[in-house]
Amino acid sequence: INAEYGQNYLSDLVPSVFGALSENGYFYDPVQKDVEGNFVPWLLSRVKENMGHVLLSRVMVDELIRTVCDKRHDQAKKQRDAARLAAQEENRPVPKVDAAVPP
């Protein structure tokens, strides 16, 4: 009877102990540990670096577009002003402003 009791007790205890040890990290998958400890941090740092490059590129393109728009606006304004001045000097009606070019 004692041997049976001991076997029943141990048969319930062994899975419980192994489960507790496994949950607490005493048994681990070396591949999983390597992936989590080395690969994932490396991957996250590369993604962060690339996202920084993407952001910088977008800022640079935005600035280029803004510069081109400002220059075109200034050129259009100079052309309108020159046309108005020429019309005033010739005493003729001022040409109508193109709707596509803001005043």
Side-chain angles (χ1 to χ4, degrees):
I1 287 183
N2 284 339
E4 268 183 50
Y5 176 75
Q7 283 182 337
N8 284 339
Y9 180 75
L10 287 178
S11 68
D12 292 338
L13 184 64
V14 169
S16 174
V17 168
F18 275 108
L21 289 172
S22 179
E23 286 175 10
N24 290 321
Y26 288 98
F27 306 113
Y28 61 87
D29 180 6
V31 173
Q32 180 181 0
K33 186 173 182 178
D34 187 41
V35 167
E36 290 174 351
N38 296 320
F39 177 70
V40 172
W42 172 83
L43 181 63
L44 290 176
S45 69
R46 296 290 296 162
V47 167
K48 184 178 177 181
E49 180 181 328
N50 285 338
M51 291 304 294
H53 293 158
V54 168
L55 180 61
L56 177 62
S57 299
R58 286 183 181 176
V59 168
M60 291 175 67
V61 168
D62 286 347
E63 190 60 34
L64 285 171
I65 291 171
R66 182 176 295 112
T67 301
V68 168
C69 289
D70 289 344
K71 285 184 178 183
R72 292 230 174 151
H73 181 265
D74 291 343
Q75 288 173 348
K77 185 175 181 195
K78 286 178 184 178
Q79 288 175 349
R80 281 194 314 272
D81 291 344
R84 284 188 187 133
L85 184 61
Q88 288 173 354
E89 288 176 359
E90 294 179 7
N91 202 12
R92 60 185 164 108
V94 177
K96 187 174 184 177
V97 176
D98 185 14
V101 180

